[in-house]
Amino acid sequence: AQSVTQPDIHITVSEGASLELRCNYSYGATPYLFWYVQSPGQGLQLLLKYFSGDTLVQGIKGFEAEFKRSQSSFNLRKPSVHWSDAAEYFCAVGGIGSGNTGKLIFGQGTTLQVKP
Amino acid sequence: NAGVTQTPKFRVLKTGQSMTLLCAQDMNHEYMYWYRQDPGMGLRLIHYSVGEGTTAKGEVPDGYNVSRLKKQNFLLGLESAAPSQTSVYFCASSYAGTPYEQYFGPGTRLTVT
């Protein structure tokens, strides 16, 4: 079955430090790949997406992600974390199965804590 | 422009009671979705709709029903609530041309005792 794994449940980084959140997927073909962010008490917001082409994609709020086919990974990175980046981050895959209905499979989420 | 709104924000039900969650969007999106979020499990798709009058099952549809009588509204019903349905429910919507770029509502926290 298709699945999305985020190995790190909780990560703490200092403000100004770099960040990398891991995401691995299990699927025969290359799915569409996404990162969403959920601030406390809020709904989810799309950070960035990958469909094809350049494997390094830029998103909002200074985030980027790199697709590595050989590792079935789509890790999220930010060079310098700000206190406002504290949130829960979800990796998701789409484009699985027939039709283009927007069905997403989400990972378990990674909670990011930022130390002052 | 309110985006995606959900009613109510919080609700406590007793086992066996029924209720309806309302989702409304003012972006003229064709597609709408209902997810549930449980600790350590991410979001799971319950039902979705690709247009007015059409609905389809997602990953975890059992115990829920949905209706999309108007393009802007998507209702999620629980006919006989169970404690296993305690969760945070999110509605989302998207344009048909960009179905994976979903806009989420703020969520409804439901507790079934």
Side-chain angles (χ1 to χ4, degrees):
Chain A
Q2 299 88 11
S3 65
V4 181
T5 301
Q6 294 178 243
D8 305 304
I9 296 173
H10 192 276
I11 283 184
T12 300
V13 300
S14 298
E15 191 168 15
S18 64
L19 170 70
E20 182 170 30
L21 302 182
R22 296 182 291 164
C23 173
N24 294 94
Y25 64 89
S26 171
Y27 183 57
T30 299
Y32 304 144
L33 297 159
F34 309 86
W35 277 98
Y36 278 83
V37 60
Q38 183 181 28
S39 298
Q42 305 290 319
L44 279 70
Q45 180 184 22
L46 181 64
L47 274 179
L48 46 77
K49 58 186 182 283
Y50 173 79
F51 290 107
S52 64
D54 192 346
T55 57
L56 185 63
V57 295
Q58 303 297 320
I60 62 172
K61 305 185 181 185
F63 285 92
E64 64 178 27
E66 185 172 14
F67 167 59
K68 291 186 177 180
R69 185 190 307 275
S70 61
Q71 298 177 16
S72 296
S73 70
F74 188 56
N75 294 350
L76 181 71
R77 301 195 294 248
K78 187 170 185 177
S80 177
V81 169
H82 187 262
W83 63 266
S84 60
D85 293 325
E88 189 160 18
Y89 292 80
F90 292 94
C91 180
V93 302
I96 294 171
S98 60
N100 205 25
T101 56
K103 291 170 68 175
L104 289 168
I105 297 175
F106 285 86
Q108 303 93 323
T110 298
T111 300
L112 173 65
Q113 183 179 1
V114 181
K115 293 191 300 186
Chain B
N1 190 344
V4 180
T5 58
Q6 293 182 231
T7 309
K9 288 185 169 48
F10 302 94
R11 185 72 186 268
V12 178
L13 286 180
K14 293 188 188 314
T15 297
Q17 288 185 320
S18 64
M19 77 164 294
T20 300
L21 307 183
L22 171 63
C23 175
Q25 52 93 7
D26 60 2
M27 297 173 280
N28 203 32
H29 285 167
E30 293 85 4
Y31 292 3
M32 297 187 74
Y33 313 84
W34 275 108
Y35 294 91
R36 60 177 289 172
Q37 182 180 28
D38 302 293
M41 301 189 74
L43 279 75
R44 292 179 291 169
L45 182 64
I46 304 171
H47 286 281
Y48 64 99
S49 167
V50 297
E52 186 177 320
T54 71
T55 63
K57 294 180 180 179
E59 190 182 352
V60 288
D62 294 342
Y64 305 95
N65 56 75
V66 287
S67 64
R68 185 127 180 246
L69 299 180
K70 294 183 179 180
K71 184 177 185 178
Q72 63 268 34
N73 295 339
F74 195 28
L75 278 62
L76 177 71
L78 287 72
E79 290 187 345
S80 179
S84 60
Q85 294 177 304
T86 293
S87 188
V88 181
Y89 292 86
F90 286 98
C91 175
S93 67
S94 70
Y95 289 112
T98 54
Y100 301 104
E101 297 179 30
Q102 297 176 14
Y103 293 76
F104 282 78
T108 294
R109 184 173 294 275
L110 174 66
T111 302
V112 183
T113 62

